[in-house]
Coordinates of all heavy atoms in Angstrom, one line a residue:
M1026 N -6.0 67.0 -180.3 CA -5.5 67.1 -179.0 C -6.7 67.9 -178.2 O -7.1 68.8 -178.7 CB -4.3 67.8 -178.9 CG -3.7 68.1 -177.5 SD -2.2 68.9 -177.5 CE -1.4 68.2 -176.1
T1027 N -6.9 67.6 -177.0 CA -8.0 68.1 -176.1 C -7.3 69.3 -175.4 O -6.3 69.2 -175.1 CB -8.5 67.1 -175.1 OG1 -9.1 66.0 -175.7 CG2 -9.5 67.9 -174.3
N1028 N -8.1 70.4 -175.6 CA -7.6 71.7 -174.9 C -8.0 71.5 -173.4 O -9.1 71.2 -173.0 CB -8.3 72.9 -175.3 CG -7.7 73.3 -176.7 OD1 -6.6 72.9 -177.1 ND2 -8.6 74.0 -177.7
L1029 N -7.0 71.7 -172.5 CA -7.2 71.7 -171.1 C -7.3 73.0 -170.5 O -6.4 73.8 -170.9 CB -6.1 70.9 -170.4 CG -6.0 69.5 -170.8 CD1 -4.6 68.8 -170.2 CD2 -7.1 68.6 -170.6
F1030 N -8.2 73.3 -169.8 CA -8.4 74.5 -169.0 C -9.1 74.5 -167.8 O -9.8 73.5 -167.5 CB -9.2 75.7 -169.9 CG -10.4 75.3 -170.3 CD1 -11.6 75.5 -169.5 CD2 -10.8 74.5 -171.5 CE1 -12.9 75.3 -169.8 CE2 -12.0 74.1 -171.7 CZ -13.0 74.6 -171.0
N1031 N -9.0 75.4 -166.9 CA -9.7 75.4 -165.6 C -10.0 76.8 -165.2 O -9.1 77.6 -164.9 CB -8.8 74.7 -164.6 CG -9.6 74.6 -163.1 OD1 -10.1 75.6 -162.7 ND2 -9.4 73.3 -162.7
I1032 N -11.2 77.2 -165.3 CA -11.7 78.6 -165.2 C -11.4 79.0 -163.7 O -10.9 80.1 -163.4 CB -13.2 78.7 -165.4 CG1 -13.5 78.4 -166.9 CG2 -13.6 80.1 -165.0 CD1 -12.7 79.2 -167.9
E1033 N -11.6 78.0 -162.6 CA -11.1 78.5 -161.3 C -9.7 78.8 -161.2 O -9.4 79.9 -160.4 CB -11.4 77.4 -160.3 CG -13.1 77.1 -160.4 CD -13.9 78.4 -159.9 OE1 -13.4 79.2 -159.1 OE2 -14.9 78.7 -160.6
I1034 N -8.8 78.2 -161.8 CA -7.4 78.5 -161.8 C -7.1 79.9 -162.4 O -6.4 80.8 -161.9 CB -6.4 77.4 -162.3 CG1 -6.6 76.1 -161.5 CG2 -5.0 77.8 -162.6 CD1 -5.9 74.9 -162.0
E1035 N -7.7 80.1 -163.6 CA -7.8 81.5 -164.3 C -8.1 82.5 -163.3 O -7.4 83.5 -163.2 CB -8.6 81.4 -165.5 CG -7.9 80.6 -166.6 CD -8.8 80.8 -167.9 OE1 -9.6 81.6 -168.0 OE2 -8.6 79.9 -168.8
K1036 N -9.2 82.3 -162.7 CA -9.7 83.4 -161.7 C -8.7 83.5 -160.6 O -8.5 84.7 -160.2 CB -11.2 82.9 -161.2 CG -12.2 83.1 -162.2 CD -13.5 82.4 -161.9 CE -14.2 82.8 -160.6 NZ -15.5 82.2 -160.4
S1037 N -8.1 82.5 -160.2 CA -7.1 82.7 -159.0 C -5.9 83.5 -159.4 O -5.4 84.1 -158.6 CB -6.7 81.3 -158.5 OG -7.8 80.6 -158.0
I1038 N -5.4 83.2 -160.6 CA -4.3 83.9 -161.2 C -4.7 85.4 -161.3 O -3.9 86.3 -160.9 CB -4.0 83.3 -162.6 CG1 -3.4 81.9 -162.4 CG2 -2.9 84.3 -163.4 CD1 -3.1 81.2 -163.7
I1039 N -5.9 85.6 -161.8 CA -6.3 87.0 -162.1 C -6.4 87.6 -160.7 O -5.9 88.8 -160.3 CB -7.6 87.3 -162.7 CG1 -7.7 86.7 -164.2 CG2 -8.2 88.6 -162.7 CD1 -6.6 87.6 -165.1
S1040 N -6.9 87.0 -159.6 CA -7.1 87.5 -158.4 C -5.8 87.8 -157.6 O -5.5 88.8 -156.9 CB -8.0 86.5 -157.4 OG -7.9 87.0 -156.1
S1041 N -4.8 86.8 -157.8 CA -3.5 87.0 -157.3 C -2.8 88.2 -158.0 O -2.1 89.0 -157.2 CB -2.6 85.8 -157.6 OG -3.2 84.6 -156.8
L1042 N -2.9 88.4 -159.2 CA -2.3 89.5 -159.8 C -2.8 90.8 -159.3 O -2.1 91.8 -159.2 CB -2.5 89.5 -161.4 CG -1.7 88.3 -162.1 CD1 -2.2 88.1 -163.4 CD2 -0.2 88.7 -162.0
L1043 N -4.2 90.9 -159.1 CA -4.8 92.1 -158.6 C -4.4 92.3 -157.0 O -4.6 93.4 -156.6 CB -6.3 92.0 -158.8 CG -6.7 92.1 -160.3 CD1 -8.3 92.0 -160.4 CD2 -6.2 93.5 -160.9
S1044 N -4.1 91.3 -156.4 CA -3.9 91.4 -154.9 C -2.4 91.6 -154.5 O -2.1 92.1 -153.4 CB -4.4 90.3 -154.3 OG -5.8 90.0 -154.6
I1045 N -1.5 91.2 -155.2 CA -0.1 91.2 -154.9 C 0.7 92.2 -155.8 O 0.8 91.9 -157.0 CB 0.6 89.8 -154.9 CG1 -0.4 88.9 -154.1 CG2 2.0 89.9 -154.5 CD1 0.1 87.4 -154.3
D1046 N 1.2 93.3 -155.3 CA 2.0 94.1 -156.1 C 3.2 93.6 -156.7 O 3.7 92.7 -156.2 CB 2.5 95.3 -155.0 CG 1.4 96.3 -154.4 OD1 0.4 96.3 -155.0 OD2 1.8 96.8 -153.5
H1047 N 3.2 93.9 -157.9 CA 4.3 93.7 -158.9 C 4.5 92.1 -159.1 O 5.5 91.7 -159.5 CB 5.7 94.0 -158.2 CG 5.8 95.5 -157.8 ND1 5.7 96.6 -158.7 CD2 5.7 96.1 -156.5 CE1 5.6 97.7 -158.0 NE2 5.7 97.4 -156.8
L1048 N 3.3 91.4 -158.8 CA 3.4 89.9 -159.1 C 3.7 89.5 -160.6 O 4.5 88.7 -160.9 CB 2.2 89.3 -158.7 CG 2.1 87.7 -158.9 CD1 3.2 87.0 -158.0 CD2 0.8 87.1 -158.4
L1049 N 3.2 90.4 -161.6 CA 3.4 90.0 -162.9 C 5.0 90.2 -163.2 O 5.4 89.4 -163.9 CB 2.6 91.0 -163.8 CG 2.6 90.8 -165.2 CD1 1.9 89.4 -165.6 CD2 1.7 91.8 -166.0
A1050 N 5.6 91.2 -162.8 CA 7.0 91.4 -163.0 C 7.8 90.4 -162.4 O 8.8 89.9 -162.8 CB 7.3 92.9 -162.6
E1051 N 7.4 90.0 -161.2 CA 8.3 89.2 -160.3 C 8.1 87.7 -160.3 O 8.9 86.8 -160.0 CB 8.1 89.7 -158.9 CG 8.7 91.1 -158.6 CD 8.3 91.5 -157.2 OE1 7.9 90.7 -156.2 OE2 8.6 92.6 -156.8
S1052 N 7.0 87.3 -161.1 CA 6.7 86.0 -161.3 C 7.6 85.2 -162.2 O 7.9 84.0 -161.9 CB 5.4 85.7 -161.8 OG 5.2 86.0 -163.1
G1053 N 8.3 85.9 -163.1 CA 9.1 85.1 -164.0 C 8.4 84.3 -165.1 O 9.0 83.6 -165.9
V1054 N 7.0 84.5 -165.2 CA 6.3 83.7 -166.0 C 5.8 84.8 -167.1 O 5.3 85.8 -166.8 CB 5.1 83.1 -165.3 CG1 4.1 82.4 -166.4 CG2 5.5 82.1 -164.4
D1055 N 5.9 84.3 -168.4 CA 5.4 85.2 -169.4 C 4.1 84.9 -169.9 O 3.9 84.1 -170.9 CB 6.5 85.2 -170.7 CG 6.1 86.1 -171.7 OD1 5.5 87.2 -171.5 OD2 6.5 85.8 -172.9
L1056 N 3.1 85.4 -169.3 CA 1.7 85.0 -169.6 C 1.2 85.9 -170.7 O 1.6 87.0 -170.8 CB 0.8 85.2 -168.4 CG 0.8 84.2 -167.2 CD1 -0.1 84.7 -166.1 CD2 0.2 82.9 -167.8
Q1057 N 0.4 85.4 -171.5 CA -0.2 86.1 -172.6 C -1.8 86.0 -172.5 O -2.3 85.0 -171.8 CB 0.1 85.4 -174.0 CG 1.7 85.6 -174.2 CD 2.4 86.9 -174.2 OE1 1.8 87.9 -174.7 NE2 3.4 87.1 -173.4
E1058 N -2.5 86.8 -173.1 CA -3.9 86.9 -173.1 C -4.5 85.4 -173.6 O -5.4 84.9 -173.0 CB -4.6 87.9 -173.9 CG -4.4 89.4 -173.3 CD -5.0 90.4 -174.3 OE1 -6.0 90.2 -174.6 OE2 -4.2 91.3 -174.5
E1059 N -3.8 84.8 -174.6 CA -4.1 83.6 -175.1 C -4.0 82.5 -174.2 O -4.6 81.3 -174.5 CB -3.5 83.3 -176.4 CG -3.5 84.3 -177.5 CD -2.7 85.6 -177.2 OE1 -1.7 85.5 -176.7 OE2 -3.0 86.8 -177.6
D1060 N -3.3 82.7 -173.1 CA -3.0 81.5 -172.1 C -4.4 81.3 -171.3 O -4.4 80.3 -170.6 CB -1.9 81.9 -171.2 CG -0.6 81.9 -172.0 OD1 -0.4 81.1 -173.0 OD2 0.4 82.7 -171.6
F1061 N -5.3 82.2 -171.3 CA -6.5 82.2 -170.7 C -7.6 81.7 -171.6 O -7.7 82.2 -172.7 CB -6.9 83.5 -170.1 CG -6.0 84.0 -169.0 CD1 -4.8 84.7 -169.3 CD2 -6.3 83.6 -167.6 CE1 -4.0 85.1 -168.3 CE2 -5.4 84.0 -166.7 CZ -4.3 84.8 -167.0
Y1062 N -8.4 80.7 -171.2 CA -9.4 80.2 -172.0 C -10.7 81.1 -172.0 O -11.2 81.4 -173.2 CB -9.9 78.8 -171.4 CG -11.0 78.2 -172.2 CD1 -10.8 77.6 -173.5 CD2 -12.4 78.3 -171.9 CE1 -11.8 77.0 -174.2 CE2 -13.4 77.7 -172.4 CZ -13.1 77.1 -173.8 OH -14.2 76.6 -174.5
A1063 N -11.1 81.5 -170.9 CA -12.3 82.4 -170.8 C -12.0 83.8 -171.4 O -11.1 84.5 -171.0 CB -12.9 82.5 -169.3
N1064 N -12.9 84.3 -172.3 CA -12.8 85.6 -172.9 C -12.6 86.6 -171.8 O -12.0 87.6 -172.0 CB -13.9 85.8 -173.9 CG -13.6 87.1 -174.7 OD1 -12.6 87.3 -175.1 ND2 -14.8 88.0 -174.8
R1065 N -13.5 86.6 -170.8 CA -13.5 87.7 -169.8 C -12.1 87.8 -169.1 O -11.6 88.8 -168.8 CB -14.7 87.4 -168.7 CG -14.6 86.2 -168.0 CD -15.6 86.0 -167.1 NE -17.0 86.2 -167.5 CZ -18.1 86.0 -166.8 NH1 -18.1 85.7 -165.6 NH2 -19.2 86.3 -167.5
N1066 N -11.5 86.6 -168.8 CA -10.3 86.5 -168.2 C -9.1 87.1 -169.2 O -8.1 87.7 -168.8 CB -9.9 85.2 -167.7 CG -10.8 84.7 -166.5 OD1 -11.4 85.6 -165.9 ND2 -11.1 83.4 -166.5
Q1067 N -9.2 86.8 -170.4 CA -8.4 87.3 -171.5 C -8.5 88.9 -171.4 O -7.4 89.5 -171.4 CB -8.7 86.8 -172.9 CG -8.4 85.4 -173.1 CD -8.8 84.9 -174.5 OE1 -9.4 85.7 -175.2 NE2 -8.6 83.6 -174.7
T1068 N -9.6 89.5 -171.4 CA -9.8 90.8 -171.3 C -9.2 91.5 -170.1 O -8.6 92.5 -170.2 CB -11.4 91.3 -171.4 OG1 -11.9 90.5 -172.7 CG2 -11.6 92.6 -171.5
I1069 N -9.5 90.8 -169.0 CA -8.9 91.4 -167.8 C -7.3 91.4 -167.7 O -6.7 92.3 -167.4 CB -9.5 90.6 -166.4 CG1 -11.0 91.0 -166.4 CG2 -8.9 91.1 -165.2 CD1 -11.8 90.1 -165.4
F1070 N -6.8 90.2 -168.2 CA -5.5 90.1 -168.1 C -4.9 91.0 -169.1 O -3.6 91.6 -168.8 CB -5.0 88.6 -168.5 CG -3.5 88.5 -168.6 CD1 -2.8 88.5 -167.3 CD2 -2.8 88.5 -169.6 CE1 -1.4 88.4 -167.4 CE2 -1.4 88.5 -169.7 CZ -0.7 88.4 -168.6
G1071 N -5.5 91.3 -170.3 CA -5.0 92.2 -171.2 C -4.9 93.7 -170.6 O -3.9 94.3 -170.8
A1072 N -5.9 94.0 -169.8 CA -5.9 95.2 -169.1 C -4.7 95.4 -168.1 O -4.0 96.4 -168.1 CB -7.2 95.5 -168.5
I1073 N -4.5 94.3 -167.4 CA -3.5 94.1 -166.3 C -2.1 94.4 -167.1 O -1.3 95.1 -166.7 CB -3.5 92.9 -165.6 CG1 -4.7 92.9 -164.6 CG2 -2.1 92.7 -164.8 CD1 -4.9 91.5 -164.0
K1074 N -1.9 93.7 -168.1 CA -0.6 93.7 -168.9 C -0.4 95.1 -169.5 O 0.7 95.7 -169.5 CB -0.5 92.7 -169.9 CG 0.9 92.4 -170.4 CD 1.0 91.0 -171.0 CE 2.4 90.7 -171.3 NZ 2.8 89.5 -171.8
S1075 N -1.4 95.6 -170.1 CA -1.3 97.1 -170.6 C -0.9 98.0 -169.5 O -0.1 98.9 -169.8 CB -2.5 97.4 -171.2 OG -2.9 96.7 -172.5
L1076 N -1.5 98.0 -168.4 CA -1.2 98.9 -167.2 C 0.2 98.6 -166.8 O 1.0 99.6 -166.6 CB -2.2 98.7 -166.1 CG -3.7 99.4 -166.5 CD1 -4.6 98.8 -165.5 CD2 -3.6 100.9 -166.4
H1077 N 0.5 97.4 -166.8 CA 1.9 97.0 -166.2 C 2.9 97.7 -167.3 O 3.9 98.2 -166.8 CB 2.0 95.5 -166.1 CG 3.4 95.0 -165.9 ND1 4.1 95.2 -164.8 CD2 4.2 94.4 -166.7 CE1 5.3 94.7 -164.8 NE2 5.5 94.2 -166.1
N1078 N 2.7 97.3 -168.5 CA 3.7 97.9 -169.5 C 3.8 99.3 -169.7 O 4.9 99.8 -170.0 CB 3.3 97.2 -171.0 CG 3.5 95.7 -170.9 OD1 4.3 95.2 -170.3 ND2 2.9 95.1 -171.8
S1079 N 2.8 100.0 -169.3 CA 2.6 101.4 -169.3 C 3.4 102.0 -168.1 O 3.3 103.2 -167.8 CB 1.3 102.0 -169.4 OG 0.8 101.5 -170.5
K1080 N 3.7 101.1 -167.2 CA 4.4 101.5 -165.8 C 3.4 102.4 -164.9 O 3.9 103.1 -164.1 CB 5.6 102.3 -166.0 CG 6.7 101.8 -167.0 CD 7.3 100.7 -166.3 CE 8.6 100.2 -167.2 NZ 8.6 98.9 -167.7
L1081 N 2.1 102.1 -165.1 CA 1.1 102.9 -164.3 C 0.8 102.1 -163.1 O 0.0 102.5 -162.2 CB -0.2 103.1 -165.2 CG 0.0 103.9 -166.4 CD1 -1.2 104.0 -167.3 CD2 0.4 105.2 -165.9
G1082 N 1.0 100.8 -163.0 CA 0.7 99.9 -161.9 C -0.7 99.5 -162.2 O -1.6 100.2 -163.0
Y1083 N -1.2 98.5 -161.4 CA -2.5 97.9 -161.6 C -3.0 97.4 -160.3 O -2.3 96.9 -159.5 CB -2.5 96.9 -162.7 CG -1.5 95.7 -162.4 CD1 -2.0 94.6 -161.6 CD2 -0.2 95.8 -162.9 CE1 -1.1 93.6 -161.3 CE2 0.6 94.7 -162.6 CZ 0.2 93.6 -161.8 OH 1.1 92.6 -161.5
D1084 N -4.3 97.6 -160.1 CA -5.1 97.1 -159.0 C -6.4 96.9 -159.5 O -6.7 97.4 -160.7 CB -5.0 97.8 -157.7 CG -5.5 99.2 -157.9 OD1 -6.2 99.5 -158.8 OD2 -5.0 100.1 -157.0
A1085 N -7.4 96.4 -158.7 CA -8.8 96.2 -159.4 C -9.5 97.6 -159.7 O -10.1 97.5 -160.8 CB -9.6 95.6 -158.1
T1086 N -9.1 98.6 -159.0 CA -9.6 100.0 -159.3 C -9.2 100.5 -160.7 O -9.9 100.9 -161.6 CB -9.4 101.0 -158.3 OG1 -10.0 100.4 -157.1 CG2 -10.0 102.2 -158.6
R1087 N -7.9 100.3 -160.8 CA -7.3 100.9 -162.1 C -7.7 100.0 -163.3 O -7.9 100.5 -164.4 CB -5.7 100.9 -162.0 CG -5.4 102.0 -161.1 CD -3.8 102.1 -161.2 NE -3.4 103.4 -160.5 CZ -2.2 103.5 -160.0 NH1 -1.2 102.6 -160.2 NH2 -1.9 104.6 -159.4
V1088 N -7.8 98.6 -163.0 CA -8.2 97.7 -164.1 C -9.7 98.2 -164.5 O -10.1 98.2 -165.7 CB -8.0 96.3 -163.7 CG1 -8.8 95.3 -164.7 CG2 -6.5 95.9 -163.7
L1089 N -10.6 98.4 -163.4 CA -11.8 98.7 -163.8 C -12.0 100.0 -164.6 O -12.8 100.1 -165.6 CB -12.7 98.9 -162.4 CG -14.1 99.4 -162.5 CD1 -15.1 98.2 -162.8 CD2 -14.5 100.0 -161.2
D1090 N -11.3 100.9 -164.2 CA -11.2 102.3 -164.9 C -10.7 102.1 -166.3 O -11.2 102.5 -167.3 CB -10.3 103.3 -164.3 CG -11.0 103.9 -163.0 OD1 -12.1 103.6 -162.8 OD2 -10.1 104.3 -162.2
F1091 N -9.7 101.3 -166.5 CA -9.2 100.9 -167.8 C -10.1 100.4 -168.8 O -10.3 100.7 -169.8 CB -8.0 100.1 -167.7 CG -7.2 99.7 -168.9 CD1 -6.1 100.5 -169.4 CD2 -7.6 98.6 -169.8 CE1 -5.4 100.1 -170.5 CE2 -6.9 98.2 -170.8 CZ -5.8 99.0 -171.2
L1092 N -10.9 99.3 -168.3 CA -11.8 98.7 -168.9 C -13.1 99.5 -169.3 O -13.6 99.4 -170.4 CB -12.2 97.4 -168.3 CG -11.2 96.3 -168.2 CD1 -11.8 95.2 -167.1 CD2 -10.8 95.6 -169.4
E1093 N -13.5 100.2 -168.3 CA -14.6 101.2 -168.6 C -14.2 102.2 -169.7 O -15.1 102.5 -170.6 CB -14.9 102.0 -167.3 CG -15.7 101.2 -166.4 CD -16.2 102.1 -165.2 OE1 -15.4 103.0 -164.7 OE2 -17.2 101.7 -164.6
K1094 N -13.0 102.9 -169.7 CA -12.7 103.8 -170.7 C -12.6 103.2 -172.0 O -12.8 103.9 -173.1 CB -11.3 104.4 -170.4 CG -11.5 105.3 -169.1 CD -10.0 105.8 -168.8 CE -10.1 106.7 -167.6 NZ -8.8 107.1 -167.1
R1095 N -12.3 102.0 -172.2 CA -12.3 101.2 -173.5 C -13.6 100.5 -173.8 O -13.6 99.7 -174.7 CB -11.1 100.2 -173.5 CG -9.9 101.1 -173.6 CD -8.6 100.3 -173.1 NE -7.5 101.2 -173.1 CZ -7.1 102.1 -172.2 NH1 -8.0 102.4 -171.3 NH2 -6.1 102.8 -172.4
N1096 N -14.6 100.6 -173.1 CA -15.8 100.0 -173.3 C -15.7 98.5 -173.4 O -16.3 97.8 -174.1 CB -16.5 100.5 -174.6 CG -17.1 101.9 -174.5 OD1 -17.4 102.4 -173.4 ND2 -16.8 102.7 -175.6
Q1097 N -14.9 97.9 -172.4 CA -14.7 96.5 -172.4 C -15.2 95.9 -171.1 O -15.0 94.7 -170.8 CB -13.2 96.2 -172.5 CG -12.7 96.7 -173.9 CD -11.0 96.3 -173.8 OE1 -10.4 96.5 -173.0 NE2 -10.7 95.7 -175.0
L1098 N -15.7 96.6 -170.2 CA -16.0 96.2 -168.8 C -17.2 95.0 -169.0 O -17.0 94.0 -168.2 CB -16.6 97.3 -167.9 CG -16.9 96.9 -166.5 CD1 -15.8 96.4 -165.9 CD2 -17.5 98.1 -165.7
E1099 N -18.1 95.1 -169.8 CA -19.0 94.1 -170.0 C -18.4 92.8 -170.5 O -18.8 91.7 -170.2 CB -20.2 94.5 -170.9 CG -21.2 95.5 -170.2 CD -21.7 95.1 -168.8 OE1 -22.1 93.9 -168.6 OE2 -21.6 95.9 -167.9
T1100 N -17.5 93.0 -171.4 CA -16.7 91.8 -171.9 C -16.0 91.1 -170.9 O -15.9 89.9 -171.0 CB -15.9 92.4 -173.1 OG1 -16.6 93.0 -174.1 CG2 -15.1 91.2 -173.8
A1101 N -15.5 91.8 -169.9 CA -14.8 91.4 -168.8 C -15.7 90.7 -167.7 O -15.1 90.3 -166.7 CB -13.8 92.4 -168.3
G1102 N -17.0 90.8 -168.0 CA -17.8 90.1 -166.9 C -18.6 91.2 -166.0 O -19.2 90.8 -165.1
G1103 N -18.3 92.4 -166.3 CA -18.9 93.4 -165.4 C -18.1 93.7 -164.2 O -17.2 93.0 -163.8
E1104 N -18.5 94.7 -163.4 CA -17.8 95.3 -162.2 C -18.0 94.2 -161.1 O -17.1 93.9 -160.3 CB -18.5 96.4 -161.8 CG -17.8 97.1 -160.6 CD -18.4 98.4 -160.1 OE1 -19.2 99.0 -160.9 OE2 -18.1 98.9 -159.1
D1105 N -19.1 93.3 -161.1 CA -19.2 92.2 -160.1 C -18.2 91.1 -160.2 O -17.7 90.7 -159.2 CB -20.6 91.8 -160.0 CG -21.7 92.7 -159.5 OD1 -21.3 93.7 -158.8 OD2 -22.8 92.6 -159.8
Y1106 N -18.0 90.8 -161.5 CA -17.0 89.8 -161.8 C -15.7 90.2 -161.4 O -14.8 89.5 -160.9 CB -17.1 89.3 -163.2 CG -16.2 88.1 -163.5 CD1 -16.5 86.9 -163.2 CD2 -14.8 88.3 -164.2 CE1 -15.6 85.8 -163.4 CE2 -14.1 87.2 -164.5 CZ -14.4 86.0 -164.1 OH -13.5 84.9 -164.4
L1107 N -15.3 91.5 -161.7 CA -13.9 91.9 -161.5 C -13.7 92.0 -160.0 O -12.7 91.7 -159.4 CB -13.7 93.2 -162.1 CG -12.3 93.9 -162.0 CD1 -11.3 93.1 -162.7 CD2 -12.3 95.3 -162.6

C-alpha cells in the first residue's frame, strides 16, 4: 500500500495549532506524532502535545523554548521553520 502524505497540509495543521488557542483540545481529533510524515513536523507536534498535556499552554514562543531546552530545535527545522 502506498503511504499518502502532504507536507503542506501538515504545515497548515501545525500553523493552526500554534495560532488558535485550545485547538488541540477542542478539535476532537486524536492526533499522534506518527500521523505526521515529516520528522520536523513530528517533533513540533510532540512539543505541542507535551505542553498541552502539562497544562502549560502552547504557542510558537513556548514551543520554541521547549525545543531549545531539549536540543530538538534543529530537528524541528530551526527557528525559521517554526
Side-chain angles (χ1 to χ4, degrees):
M1026 177 180 214
T1027 303
N1028 289 332
L1029 300 176
F1030 61 91
N1031 186 312
I1032 300 301
E1033 293 305 314
I1034 291 174
E1035 290 186 13
K1036 289 167 52 175
S1037 293
I1038 292 169
I1039 296 291
S1040 177
S1041 295
L1042 288 168
L1043 293 174
S1044 301
I1045 303 170
D1046 288 339
H1047 310 293
L1048 181 60
L1049 186 59
E1051 294 175 4
S1052 70
V1054 177
D1055 185 28
L1056 287 173
Q1057 302 298 319
E1058 290 176 50
E1059 301 80 32
D1060 293 328
F1061 294 87
Y1062 177 80
N1064 188 43
R1065 63 177 53 177
N1066 294 334
Q1067 290 177 357
T1068 302
I1069 294 168
F1070 180 75
I1073 290 170
K1074 195 154 187 179
S1075 291
L1076 289 166
H1077 170 74
N1078 290 340
S1079 300
K1080 309 283 190 245
L1081 295 174
Y1083 57 87
D1084 59 19
T1086 302
R1087 285 188 175 162
V1088 170
L1089 178 82
D1090 290 342
F1091 182 93
L1092 294 170
E1093 281 182 329
K1094 288 177 184 174
R1095 287 158 183 76
N1096 295 319
Q1097 294 179 316
L1098 187 56
E1099 290 306 313
T1100 302
E1104 188 173 347
D1105 290 337
Y1106 183 77
L1107 186 61

